[in-house]
Amino acid sequence: MKIRLTITIFCIYVLKIGYIYADEELGNFILPELNNTEVKMFEEYLTSEINLLNFWSVHCLPCQKEIQYLQSLEKECTKINFLYINIDQKSEIEKVIRKKNEWNLSGKILLDWNQIAFQKLNKETILPSIIVLSSKKKELFYSYGFNSEVYKNL
């Protein structure tokens, strides 16, 4: 019992230190926004019937190519909830803010500094990646790597 409690406390401490941890009961992730406010990703942001999650990095050239397609899609598909999840390190926050402003993203940006959500939700660890989920967290579509043909299917 004592060992199990110690392991549990260690896991909570280690995961919490990086500002992200999995809420096992809900299958949820707690991630910070750009202003450092922590939010439960599924409860607070996956509220539409269709939710598009885009995992990206400021250093990823395919991510930068893909963004123009996402910007167009955001304007055309107003019923889709767009959620941009950045996987860069905490030290890159200024670059993330610069890219958000440069790209004029209207969707919410969450920060996955430890890449826990990225690794658990993605079948592959390739950037950029898109996952389209229903409001019930059912996967409707996914794409890994940039391919402009993907946007014809969305």
Side-chain angles (χ1 to χ4, degrees), residues 5-17 20-21:
L5 180 61
T6 304
I7 291 170
T8 303
I9 290 169
F10 174 77
C11 289
I12 290 170
Y13 177 74
V14 169
L15 294 175
K16 181 67 175 156
I17 233 168
I20 173 174
Y21 54 93

Side-chain angles (χ1 to χ4, degrees), residues 94-110:
E94 293 302 320
K95 291 178 184 175
V96 173
I97 292 169
R98 221 172 319 157
K99 286 293 182 187
K100 178 199 184 295
N101 295 334
E102 178 185 322
W103 293 340
N104 196 28
L105 300 176
S106 59
K108 284 288 185 181
I109 294 182
L110 296 180

Side-chain angles (χ1 to χ4, degrees), residues 50-89:
I50 300 174
N51 302 278
L52 187 145
L53 283 63
N54 172 250
F55 289 89
W56 63 285
S57 168
V58 295
H59 303 290
C60 168
L61 293 177
C63 296
Q64 293 178 32
K65 289 180 183 176
E66 181 180 64
I67 201 65
Q68 64 184 312
Y69 292 92
L70 288 172
Q71 288 170 322
S72 297
L73 197 61
E74 239 184 313
K75 289 175 186 166
E76 292 172 27
C77 306
T78 56
K79 293 186 179 186
I80 295 177
N81 179 34
F82 286 80
L83 185 61
Y84 298 95
I85 304 169
N86 178 269
I87 66 163
D88 289 307
Q89 298 297 310

Side-chain angles (χ1 to χ4, degrees), residues 112-123:
D112 187 5
W113 291 317
N114 293 332
Q115 300 181 10
I116 293 172
F118 176 65
Q119 291 175 9
K120 289 208 182 224
L121 293 174
N122 284 282
K123 294 176 177 79

Side-chain angles (χ1 to χ4, degrees), residues 29 41-42 46 49-56 66 70 73 80-85 112 116-134 137-145 150-151 154:
F29 297 98
M41 187 172 94
F42 290 138
L46 299 188
E49 281 298 310
I50 300 174
N51 302 278
L52 187 145
L53 283 63
N54 172 250
F55 289 89
W56 63 285
E66 181 180 64
L70 288 172
L73 197 61
I80 295 177
N81 179 34
F82 286 80
L83 185 61
Y84 298 95
I85 304 169
D112 187 5
I116 293 172
F118 176 65
Q119 291 175 9
K120 289 208 182 224
L121 293 174
N122 284 282
K123 294 176 177 79
E124 301 285 335
T125 54
I126 298 171
L127 286 177
S129 67
I130 291 178
I131 302 171
V132 179
L133 299 173
S134 71
K137 298 186 251 180
K138 180 181 177 196
E139 187 177 276
L140 304 173
F141 177 84
Y142 67 88
S143 171
Y144 303 108
V150 164
Y151 294 91
L154 286 177

